[in-house]
Amino acid sequence: MNDIDAVIARNDARMDRMAHAEAMQLSRAKRRQRGVARTTARVGRAMMVGGGIVVALLLWGLLVSPIGVTVLVLAVLFGLFAMVGAASWEKPLPKPSAVADAPALLPAATDAWLDRQRRQMPLLAAPQVDAISAKLATLEQQLAQVPPADPIAQDLSRLLGRHLPELVESYTRVPAEQRKRTIDSDGRTLESTLVEGLKVVDAELDRASNQLAAADRDALLVQGKFLESRYGSDRAIEG
């Protein structure tokens, strides 16, 4: 019996490692996609600004008066600064609470917001952020198929729209040099408290995803039993 338990435990541990590795890969792929999209947008904004300045100079020279060397140099300098500014600017992302009333939009908004907060969180939190990101991708598909008033969708709206942002922002508001201090008699620090909170969020997302999938699993089981009873090998197929 002990041998069987040990085998089961090893299999469970292996499955957990595989799930973690898959979550890491998915999270990295999504971060790369966001990085490419941000870079493309920055280059596009810079090119638009630069192109606009060139067109303005050409029109001025053709329609108003020739452009002198001094004006040209100033225009080039201004254009460079404007292009750098346009490339550096990023559109502020809405907080998850802004779309809390639309559960189907909440996973994507939360994932993008959480990715922006990643740089302010400790390295210890990275695996949990990756795991949450992977589950949000699954929940995005699931929540698109349920009404906003669904109890599970409402629970997720509160978790992602309020509780998770409050957890992360409570940590990031603390000055960086104070985040490693012990805050409890059991030796916990702010970093470990954040990580434990993210683990709770991850577990709750997993539970919600399983609940949302339960109806489909039950329907598949019922349909499978029906097909087996109607068209099983021990029954003749009715015309």
Side-chain angles (χ1 to χ4, degrees), residues 223-234:
Q223 185 66 12
K225 289 183 177 180
F226 166 75
L227 291 174
E228 183 179 354
S229 64
R230 182 170 179 82
Y231 301 111
S233 58
D234 57 340

Side-chain angles (χ1 to χ4, degrees), residues 98-170:
V99 293
D101 294 334
L105 303 177
L106 196 51
T110 302
D111 194 23
W113 177 84
L114 194 60
D115 188 52
R116 289 280 183 92
Q117 309 304 312
R118 181 185 290 268
R119 287 172 290 183
Q120 301 184 61
M121 289 189 282
L123 291 177
L124 289 174
Q128 295 308 132
V129 174
D130 290 337
I132 290 173
S133 177
K135 289 182 176 63
L136 288 173
T138 301
L139 283 167
E140 184 177 2
Q141 301 174 4
Q142 293 178 300
L143 288 175
Q145 303 175 26
V146 299
D150 184 90
I152 300 176
Q154 291 296 307
D155 287 343
L156 287 172
S157 293
R158 286 187 288 270
L159 176 64
L160 299 178
R162 186 175 65 191
H163 300 310
L164 176 59
E166 286 177 353
L167 171 69
V168 175
E169 290 175 344
S170 295

Side-chain angles (χ1 to χ4, degrees), residues 47-63 67 75:
M47 295 299 292
M48 287 180 62
V49 170
I53 292 174
V54 170
V55 171
L57 288 174
L58 290 175
L59 291 176
W60 182 274
L62 292 173
L63 302 177
I67 298 175

